[in-house]
Amino acid sequence: MRNVTKDNITDVFMGYMSPDMSPRMREVLGALVRHMHDFARETKLTHEEWRAGIAFLEGCAAIESEDRHEFVLASDVLGLSSLIDMLHSSDDATSSSVLGPFHVSGAPPLEIGGDMKRHYGGPVLLAEGVVRDPEGNPIPNATIDIWQTAPNGLYASQDTEQDTYSFHGLQTVGDDGRYAFTTVKPVEYTVPSDGPVGDILRACGRHPWRPSHLHYIVEADGFRPLVTEIFSEDDPYLDQDTVFGVRSDLVMTYEKRPAAEFPSGMALSGQISEPYLHVTFDVTLARKT
């Protein structure tokens, strides 16, 4: 095409696509380019602004590593990660929420009633519940990949003082679908703001805070995997989550209970001498279609 103009360049791009490319690739890439071209035309994007956008991407790539996923973080704070979650959530299942950039694969086994708090200070939290199908029946042998920050607000992958799998555990439920573990009450924390994503937040006049939460990935044969989070209703950032991860059915009450009520059959049974926190969070998985 010799006569490419600002008005026909999108159609020219679409015409350059091979008829042999996959239909889904044509749909997704074509839509991306159409919106990108329309954005540039609508805003009359300048060369300086275009270069700033390129510099942002290059800045993300420069600090991207196995432990620092700046592109994922950018997707999170721009709301894209949460939007994709919501587009593909099932109406008959627990709401999904963002995976975040700090998940570490290969978490060690955590027995029912096991403890992730270990030597760390802070209030003991007993979290338990049942993994169910849409009809309310327990799902046996489901697995729950659990992770959270330490009391200093850092994930293990961010903190050289922590073990690789600090505050990570993989629990397999029994025939009754029940899971249970102890940990330290999660704390609110800031997402990394010392890179390009931080520049975006500051340019928007936004803070980098996330409300305190537990992360779960719940999986079972015949059911769709669920990535979700548990939030405490008293958290000051519950209505201002910088990555848009909060859903109403994921907000729980952490009830304070006396030490005498701590149940038996837990790793910390007989060792609790102060009031502890308790939360019950049942998980519903959607069937695969």
Side-chain angles (χ1 to χ4, degrees):
M1 179 67 173
R2 298 186 180 186
N3 188 27
V4 178
T5 70
K6 63 182 174 59
D7 297 314
N8 71 7
I9 188 171
T10 309
D11 292 333
V12 172
F13 174 86
M14 296 298 292
Y16 284 176
M17 289 187 179
S18 168
D20 297 327
M21 69 187 299
S22 75
R24 181 59 176 169
M25 175 66 80
R26 178 183 294 273
E27 178 185 11
V28 173
L29 186 58
L32 172 64
V33 170
R34 282 196 303 273
H35 287 292
M36 193 162 51
H37 288 185
D38 286 342
F39 159 74
R41 284 186 284 255
E42 176 188 342
T43 62
K44 294 183 172 57
L45 197 69
T46 68
H47 285 91
E48 291 77 12
E49 291 162 342
W50 171 77
R51 282 193 288 269
I54 297 298
F56 171 78
L57 296 175
E58 291 175 339
C60 288
I63 62 175
E64 183 80 9
S65 69
E66 185 177 352
D67 298 325
R68 176 74 180 259
H69 301 288
E70 195 76 359
F71 285 111
V72 175
L73 185 59
S75 175
D76 290 347
V77 304
L78 294 174
L80 180 60
S81 303
S82 278
L83 177 58
I84 293 173
D85 284 338
M86 291 184 283
L87 286 171
H88 298 283
S89 288
S90 175
D91 292 337
D92 60 356
T94 298
S95 292
S96 63
S97 190
V98 293
L99 174 67
F102 302 113
H103 176 252
V104 178
S105 300
L110 180 67
E111 63 181 9
I112 304 295
D115 176 60
M116 296 200 308
K117 183 178 184 295
R118 299 187 299 162
H119 61 278
Y120 287 88
V124 172
L125 172 65
L126 166 56
E128 61 180 337
V130 177
V131 182
R132 303 182 186 276
D133 65 22
E135 291 72 44
N137 304 304
I139 302 175
N141 302 315
T143 61
I144 306 179
D145 190 349
I146 307 156
W147 73 103
Q148 68 175 93
T149 62
N152 63 0
L154 296 175
Y155 289 93
S157 60
Q158 298 176 284
D159 188 359
T160 57
E161 298 299 316
Q162 294 185 55
D163 299 335
T164 301
Y165 294 112
S166 174
F167 289 102
H168 287 70
L170 182 66
Q171 192 162 101
T172 301
V173 308
D175 291 340
D176 58 0
R178 177 178 176 269
Y179 73 90
F181 63 94
T182 51
T183 185
V184 66
K185 183 182 185 293
V187 297
E188 59 270 15
Y189 66 90
T190 59
V191 299
S193 58
D194 58 341
V197 171
D199 294 337
I200 290 290
L201 291 174
R202 285 183 286 275
C204 295
R206 289 173 52 190
H207 67 69
W209 286 91
R210 290 219 65 200
S212 59
H213 55 273
L214 294 168
H215 287 277
Y216 286 2
I217 299 177
V218 189
E219 298 182 276
D221 290 341
F223 294 86
R224 291 170 53 183
L226 175 71
V227 179
T228 195
E229 301 174 280
I230 306 175
F231 300 92
S232 176
E233 68 172 0
D234 63 354
D235 193 282
Y237 294 101
L238 198 63
D239 295 312
Q240 300 178 38
D241 182 7
T242 198
V243 305
F244 311 97
V246 179
R247 316 281 182 264
S248 59
D249 64 320
L250 306 182
V251 179
M252 299 287 117
T253 299
Y254 290 11
E255 298 179 347
K256 191 172 185 179
R257 295 188 174 180
E261 293 185 6
F262 194 84
S264 60
M266 306 286 293
L268 296 185
S269 297
Q271 303 178 45
I272 301 298
S273 58
E274 298 180 354
Y276 68 98
L277 299 172
H278 178 257
V279 62
T280 299
F281 180 67
D282 291 344
V283 178
T284 301
L285 299 183
R287 287 189 173 82
K288 288 182 179 178
T289 56

